Structures are given as C-alpha cells and as structure tokens.
Amino acid sequence: MRTSYDVTIIGAGLAGLQCARLLARQGISVLLVDRKNSLDQKIHTTGVFVRRTLVDFDLPEDCLGPPIKHVSLYSPALRPMELVSQHDEFRIGRMGQLYQRYLQQCLLAGADWLPQTSYLSHSAGNGKITLRLSSGSVITRYLIGADGARSRVARDLQLEQNREWIVGVESVFQGAVLDGPPRLLCFLDPKLAPGYIAWIAHDGEETHLGVGGYPSLFEPTTALQNFRSRVDDIIDLRKAKQIESRAGFIPVGGVLKNIANSTGMLIGDAAGAVSPLTAGGLDPCMRLSAFAARVVTEYLSTGDAAVLQAYSGELFRSRFASRLWARRIAATLRQPQLLEFGCALLRLPGFNRLANHVFFGRGSFPDVIEPLGPLERLRYSAR
Ligand SMILES: Cc1cc2nc3c(=O)[nH]c(=O)nc-3n(C[C@H](O)[C@H](O)[C@H](O)COP(=O)(O)OP(=O)(O)OC[C@H]3O[C@@H](n4cnc5c(N)ncnc54)[C@H](O)[C@@H]3O)c2cc1C
C-alpha cells in the first residue's frame, strides 16, 4: 500500500464503489476505505433497481434477481390496485454479491482497498490533505465522501448535510409463498409507515418485507412486526427462512446544493442524492458517482478549481421540484380516510396514469453530458 493517493473515497457502498472503479480505470490512484470488514455485511438497502439503471449500467446479470413487471398498490383498508408494465421494470439486486463484484473491479483497475478502517478527520494545507484513519494517516490530493446519509465527511468538509430522513427496516426471506408472478407490493398505511410505504418485494427467489417512515412518528421494529401480521393473508411466511435483517436512514430532502469544494466532494446518500418521493437512491448513486468521476478526473488533470463549480446540487435540484412537493404532501397525509380516498381516485382512468407514472416512469436522476472543461472539450472534439 502506498501512503499517498490522488483520491481517497470514504465509504464502499454503491456510490463509493462506482466512483472508485471509474476513477481507477482512468489511471488515477485511488484508495477506497470502509469501516466494514466485508461488504456483504450490514447491508441496508432492499436493492430494487429500476429499468433505467438496468438499461444504462453494466450491472452483472448474476447479481440480479428475476425481472418484475407487476406492482400491487394497497390502500389502508387493503384494497389492491394492480399495475402491470409491458417491460421488465425492476430487479432486486443481490447486493452483497454486487458490492463484492464491484470491489474486484476496483482492485483490477488498480485501486487500493482498506477495509475495517474508519475515517476520523482530515486537515488540509500546502496543496495536500492528511487523512486521519483508524489505521493511521494517509495523504491524498482529493477526498470523496461516500459515507452515507449521516456523512461525517460532509460535516468535516463544511459542505451541506442531510437534514430530513425517513428510516426503513426490513426482513429478507427465502421460501416465502406468494401467488402470482414476481411483484412489488406497496402498502399505504399512515400507522405502519407514516410518510412513506410498507412493502413486499418478491421476485420468486427472495422476499423483502419492510416498513419506512418518519422516525418521530413510529417505532420501526414494532411497525414491521405489525405489518407482518397484517399481511398474513397475502403472503405465506410459515415455511420461509429469514436470512437477513436490514435497516437504515434514507435522506428525503432532495440532493443538497453545496456538495463540493477544493478539498473534497460528496456522492450518493451523503449528497442527498435520493428521490424524495420514492426514496430510491441506487440509480442516483450510479449517475452522480459517474459524473463525480468525470469532474474529479478533469480537476486533477487541469488543477482548475472552476471545474468543480459544475458539480453543484443546484444543477439537479430543480429537476426534483415536483418530487419535493410530493414528499411534502406525503409527509402530511396522516389520516387513513384521506389515503383511502386518494387510492380510490387513483383507480379512476385519468388518475390511473399518475400511478403508472410514479412506478414505471423513466424519470430518475438527471445525466450531465456536456464536456466540463478544456481537457474534456478536447477529448470530445477529437471524437
Ligand atoms: C431499508 C432501505 C431500503 C432501501 N431500498 C432501496 C431500493 O430498493 N432501491 C433504491 O433505489 N434505493 C433504496 N434505498 C436507498 C439506497 O439504498 C441508498 O440510497 C444507497 O444504498 C446509498 O448508497 P451509498 O453508497 O451512498 O451509501 P451507503 O450504502 O450507506 O454506503 C456508505 C458506506 O460508508 C461506510 N462508512 C460510513 N461512515 C464511515 C466512516 N466514518 N469511515 C469509513 N466508512 C464509513 C459505511 O460502512 C457504508 O459501507 C433503501 C434504503 C434503505 C435504508
């Protein structure tokens, strides 16, 4: 291992791994650090990937479960509404396997990997950054915080920090019995999942049963137990084996504005890059990390700090305006009768389109494709 790197990335979740492998493939020396001993431990995502991510990125086939086209949306009184897409809309990632695969790709591209190591602090001066890690000190030219929703790196870099969260908890089963094709089942219930949904994600091989909501409004573990009893008639878990429990914070305040400076930047949940409405963060991880890798590559090769101005949450935030409004409305919907009425409306032909749009729409994290600075422009014009 070296003692000095071009880039150090704190956090080897999907955002950190995606950024590390792209930077290392550009020949940049990268150190990837995570406090976990192994990446298949303490996973906190259900891992549902949407069609747009599946189409645009090279997710390895064997790290994905069978495709899902069907969604059942349940009202508080458990009245279902069925939605079916013509396309394969979702696949549940086998996340431990996927993280390990991406890590292998990082190592193959030349990145160094430091597991079981916590980021503690950093100091910057004379054009270099000294990182204090639980295993010792490292020098780096640039620091990337991919350390999740409650990012310590964001705080230390004096960048913006997430302030609005929901929490999610889920149990993962094998051997659950659910009639019909693989499906996502979403339950609107302000007691079990205040401000969000309870869910069953079932692809025929794995089943995830979870609840999410504002932490001040419910007790997630109790809500999960109650949810399990409530869906007794819908899914048979008697012979199922629970293989994992997962839980975590999900930032829902929208992508943060101030996410980069000349010392470092934020990606993934640390940057608030999660859809405020659906709480999906995996597609934003892939896209924002790819953009971050382009910006950092350009910045390191030109030394031009102006390039970093392109990496601003302002660029993306306006694209989330409607979803931020929808989130604010969702946060206030606490009466079951109101949600029941809303679900009845959604069954009407015109409104039905809205439900289809939320579940099957292609809107996700925006891509930035314009060249950033002189070097990128040169590369583009040479094509
Ligand atoms: C219950 C739940 C279900 C979800 N389901 C979905 C879903 O189905 N589809 C979807 O699109 N999104 C989902 N999300 C959101 C999605 O999982 C996240 O947006 C995404 O995983 C964030 O990835 P990340 O790499 O930014 O952060 P993380 O995956 O949180 O990775 C951060 C990494 O940083 C490490 N770390 C943190 N602090 C330090 C430190 N000081 N030193 C060293 N390492 C550190 C952690 O160990 C961790 O490995 C879900 C979230 C939750 C909580």
Side-chain angles (χ1 to χ4, degrees):
M1 276 224 359
R2 321 151 52 125
T3 50
S4 140
Y5 292 86
D6 289 329
V7 177
T8 300
I9 300 177
I10 308 297
L14 194 67
L17 288 163
Q18 162 76 339
C19 196
R21 67 191 188 125
L22 296 178
L23 284 172
R25 283 173 184 167
Q26 296 292 321
I28 288 171
S29 65
V30 178
L31 175 65
L32 181 62
V33 177
D34 202 292
R35 60 186 174 200
K36 287 184 189 173
N37 183 22
S38 167
L39 292 185
D40 49 13
Q41 294 172 352
K42 294 187 190 155
I43 294 168
H44 68 235
T45 181
T46 308
V48 177
F49 284 95
V50 296
R51 177 157 58 101
R52 190 164 171 239
T53 327
L54 298 166
V55 169
D56 290 351
F57 294 97
D58 56 345
L59 297 171
E61 181 60 31
D62 63 329
C63 298
L64 298 167
I68 299 175
K69 291 174 191 262
H70 294 250
V71 171
S72 308
L73 178 64
Y74 284 84
S75 72
L78 291 184
R79 288 195 187 91
M81 168 179 173
E82 301 299 332
L83 303 164
V84 187
S85 171
Q86 298 166 322
H87 306 281
D88 292 338
E89 290 291 344
F90 310 106
R91 292 181 77 174
I92 306 176
R94 305 302 183 236
M95 296 307 287
Q97 208 172 316
L98 179 63
Y99 292 150
Q100 298 282 17
R101 188 69 54 79
Y102 275 2
L103 178 61
Q104 277 169 18
Q105 293 180 8
C106 292
L107 300 179
L108 269 175
D112 277 349
W113 164 230
L114 209 48
Q116 226 175 345
T117 302
S118 292
Y119 160 85
L120 301 175
S121 63
H122 75 267
S123 54
N126 300 330
K128 63 180 189 182
I129 304 157
T130 307
L131 296 179
R132 203 160 68 79
L133 305 174
S134 57
S135 59
S137 290
V138 167
I139 308 287
T140 195
R141 285 173 68 196
Y142 204 66
L143 172 62
I144 298 184
D147 52 338
R150 296 189 296 170
S151 166
R152 187 169 182 155
V153 175
R155 186 198 64 187
D156 290 0
L157 284 171
Q158 296 180 335
L159 295 172
E160 211 174 329
Q161 292 170 260
N162 292 304
R163 283 193 300 267
E164 187 183 348
W165 292 281
I166 54 175
V167 287
V169 292
E170 67 166 25
S171 305
V172 188
F173 298 92
Q174 274 171 350
V177 180
L178 183 72
D179 289 338
R183 246 182 311 159
L184 291 188
L185 298 88
C186 302
F187 299 79
L188 292 169
D189 185 321
K191 279 214 180 76
L192 292 176
Y196 191 52
I197 53 164
W199 65 89
I200 299 173
H202 173 79
D203 66 12
E205 294 173 1
E206 244 181 37
T207 307
H208 297 241
L209 192 113
V211 294
Y214 284 97
S216 57
L217 298 178
F218 81 142
E219 204 293 298
T221 317
T222 314
L224 182 58
Q225 277 166 8
N226 294 341
F227 177 50
R228 191 173 162 167
S229 328
R230 188 146 166 72
V231 293
D232 237 5
D233 291 341
I234 297 174
I235 186 159
D236 184 355
L237 292 169
R238 280 173 304 175
K239 292 198 180 133
K241 180 176 165 214
Q242 184 170 339
I243 52 170
E244 259 182 86
S245 293
R246 298 181 180 178
F249 284 81
I250 312 175
V252 288
V255 63
L256 303 171
K257 289 181 193 158
N258 182 14
I259 51 174
N261 60 28
S262 57
T263 308
M265 64 166 54
L266 309 174
I267 54 177
D269 277 11
V274 174
S275 163
L277 178 60
T278 64
L282 298 177
D283 186 75
C285 272
M286 297 300 284
R287 281 176 216 279
L288 188 63
S289 293
F291 182 49
R294 274 178 58 198
V295 173
V296 173
T297 305
E298 179 83 8
Y299 174 55
L300 292 178
S301 44
T302 60
D304 180 3
V307 169
L308 295 169
Q309 286 166 15
Y311 194 79
S312 160
E314 297 277 14
L315 257 183
F316 311 109
R317 236 184 125 74
S318 59
R319 304 280 290 272
F320 284 95
S322 58
R323 278 170 263 186
L324 276 166
W325 274 109
R327 157 88 355 241
R328 275 173 208 133
I329 293 166
T332 56
L333 288 177
R334 311 247 172 91
Q335 287 83 20
Q337 298 87 337
L338 213 58
L339 278 172
E340 198 63 44
F341 176 68
C343 289
L345 267 186
L346 284 180
R347 281 187 213 102
L348 300 175
F351 290 95
N352 189 288
R353 271 213 218 117
L354 179 66
N356 273 287
H357 179 71
V358 170
F359 286 104
F360 304 142
R362 299 263 291 147
S364 186
F365 206 78
D367 279 315
V368 181
I369 48 169
E370 298 84 30
L372 299 166
L375 277 184
E376 266 214 344
R377 250 178 254 133
L378 213 64
R379 275 181 227 131
Y380 268 70
S381 58
R383 277 180 194 169

